[in-house]
Amino acid sequence: MPYITNINAPKARGDAMKLLIKEQLPVGVVALRMGVNRSTIWRWLKKWQQQNSSLCFVNNNRISRQIKPAGYIPGVGAVSEFRLQSCTWNIPTLSSRPHSNSRAIPKHIVKAVLEARRRLKRCAEAVWHYVNNRLGIKVSLSSVRRILQRHHCFDGARKPRVKKSNPKRPPAAAPGELVQTDTIRYVCPYTYTRKYIYTVIDLYARMTYARASDRIAPGEAAKTILEARKRFGFDLKMVQCDNGSGYSRYFEQQMHLAGIQTRHSRLHRPNDNAHIERFNRTLQDECTGRTITAKDSIQKVQAQLTSYLDYYNNHRVHLGIQLRTPREMLQRF
């Protein structure tokens, strides 16, 4: 990491040396013009002399020769124009990164890790397992990750958090302008059978809908959105969902046929769907609970959801809409 990232800094240091040597201005005047301390000018002069140490500014064989001075180097004396033309004026920025460390990973381990990555073309965990168990080289997983990151082995490999075709999120200033949908998964603790609840919420009125199913599929998610539109009584313009398997390309096609635009949240950003995530928690706390056993049929769960949704949409007040019910929000619009 360099001390400064300004690409014009080397040229500025060179200009300061020209003022000091060619124009023979005092150090204080040069420091005032460059906006730095006097000691900084002296450090720049020392670096300038080091990078031009191969040049001979004084000809010791002809000391008595009279020259026309074109500059003056502190500690050296007068210098001719011919000598100054061969100088390198710009002073490059040096890196602040340490060049060595007593605890640095040996080079043969770094080479083995990079070779394993090139051969396997897999993640850091797989490379670490191969190096430790197949090659017999003891190295920690964190060290393998740092080696791969420093050598840019993962650049461009990560999936983008947002699709390029993702539309802009609307402000949700009217009913149906933006609705969010999600899926709650239940696993029976005895038989390990799974049941799913598809949930939908309108961000303006907080109107909600839920539908129980025994499988997860894009068709089930699309059917839930269409049923929610019928129950809400207003058109849906955009639906926002996550990047799960239940909201794949087929779901987008069904929404397009229904005249509803589809938008996906960012990867690993559940706060993008904060409203539906909060409704899912409320539904679990006040209606279905945390588990649904195999004895509970889909019809029984759906009847329980229907009864609760009537209470949620028509009687339960919400802090987010100034202690109103979702039905009252629709009447105000």
Side-chain angles (χ1 to χ4, degrees):
M1 182 67 183
Y3 290 103
I4 186 171
T5 58
N6 189 353
I7 60 175
N8 297 319
K11 183 177 182 301
R13 301 187 190 103
D15 294 339
M17 293 299 99
K18 291 179 181 178
L19 294 176
L20 182 66
I21 297 174
K22 285 189 173 182
E23 299 187 18
Q24 303 180 24
L25 296 179
V27 176
V29 176
V30 177
L32 185 62
R33 289 192 180 184
M34 303 306 297
V36 296
N37 195 278
R38 290 167 54 94
S39 60
T40 303
I41 301 299
W42 286 114
R43 287 196 298 269
W44 289 354
L45 177 62
K46 184 177 180 181
K47 292 182 179 180
W48 182 86
Q49 291 177 339
Q50 289 178 353
Q51 71 180 13
N52 293 285
S53 58
S54 60
L55 301 179
C56 181
F57 295 106
V58 179
N59 191 348
N60 295 323
N61 295 326
R62 304 180 66 179
I63 300 178
S64 60
R65 180 186 176 188
Q66 298 293 329
I67 62 171
K68 184 179 181 181
Y72 182 85
I73 301 178
V76 177
V79 186
S80 65
E81 179 66 25
F82 174 76
R83 305 288 181 180
L84 293 179
Q85 288 180 355
S86 303
C87 295
T88 301
W89 293 98
N90 293 349
I91 304 174
T93 303
L94 301 180
S95 175
S96 61
R97 179 179 62 85
H99 299 284
S100 61
N101 192 328
S102 59
R103 301 179 62 183
I105 301 175
K107 294 183 179 180
H108 72 277
I109 296 181
V110 176
K111 184 178 179 180
V113 170
L114 296 177
E115 180 64 24
R117 163 67 182 179
R118 185 192 63 79
R119 181 177 179 180
L120 299 178
K121 296 181 180 180
R122 296 189 61 186
C123 61
E125 287 77 5
V127 174
W128 170 79
H129 182 271
Y130 179 85
V131 171
N132 278 267
N133 295 275
R134 297 292 183 86
L135 302 182
I137 300 176
K138 298 301 179 182
V139 60
S140 64
L141 177 59
S142 59
S143 297
V144 173
R145 287 173 176 168
R146 284 195 298 269
I147 292 172
L148 297 179
Q149 290 176 357
R150 288 174 179 174
H151 290 79
H152 310 283
C153 294
F154 297 135
D155 292 353
R158 177 172 293 192
K159 186 177 180 180
R161 294 189 182 274
V162 183
K163 292 184 177 181
K164 295 183 179 180
S165 60
N166 211 33
K168 185 178 180 180
R169 177 170 176 161
E177 191 171 6
L178 178 62
V179 298
Q180 292 180 354
T181 181
D182 198 10
T183 307
I184 307 176
R185 184 184 65 175
Y186 292 91
V187 181
C188 178
Y190 309 107
T191 62
Y192 299 102
T193 57
R194 299 183 180 183
K195 289 183 174 62
Y196 304 90
I197 295 180
Y198 295 90
T199 55
V200 183
I201 186 172
D202 176 64
L203 266 62
Y204 174 80
R206 302 298 198 273
M207 290 289 292
T208 58
Y209 179 74
R211 177 174 173 272
S213 177
D214 56 354
R215 63 193 183 96
I216 185 168
E220 294 291 323
K223 187 177 180 180
T224 303
I225 297 296
L226 299 179
E227 291 183 2
R229 182 175 63 175
K230 185 182 299 185
R231 296 293 180 89
F232 291 166
F234 50 81
D235 292 333
L236 306 182
K237 297 181 180 179
M238 180 179 292
V239 56
Q240 178 174 299
C241 55
D242 56 19
N243 298 271
S245 59
Y247 305 101
S248 58
R249 185 180 299 274
Y250 180 79
F251 173 80
E252 296 180 356
Q253 293 174 351
Q254 294 299 313
M255 292 296 98
H256 179 73
L257 294 176
I260 303 175
Q261 199 173 9
T262 306
R263 185 180 190 276
H264 291 272
S265 61
R266 295 174 295 175
L267 290 175
H268 310 297
R269 292 293 186 271
N271 289 341
D272 289 355
N273 289 329
H275 294 82
I276 193 64
E277 296 289 353
R278 187 61 183 88
F279 171 68
N280 291 345
R281 177 182 172 183
T282 302
L283 189 67
Q284 291 176 312
D285 291 342
E286 301 181 3
C287 180
T288 60
R290 297 294 174 176
T291 58
I292 296 179
T293 63
K295 296 180 180 179
D296 299 326
S297 63
I298 297 296
Q299 292 76 13
K300 178 182 177 180
V301 176
Q302 186 61 49
Q304 188 177 1
L305 292 174
T306 303
S307 176
Y308 176 76
L309 290 176
D310 178 70
Y311 161 73
Y312 188 93
N313 294 328
N314 300 316
H315 306 286
R316 188 180 188 274
V317 295
H318 298 267
L319 297 177
I321 50 178
Q322 293 78 43
L323 296 176
R324 297 186 179 91
T325 64
R327 185 63 60 185
E328 291 174 348
M329 289 295 295
L330 290 180
Q331 294 174 356
R332 292 178 66 251
F333 188 77

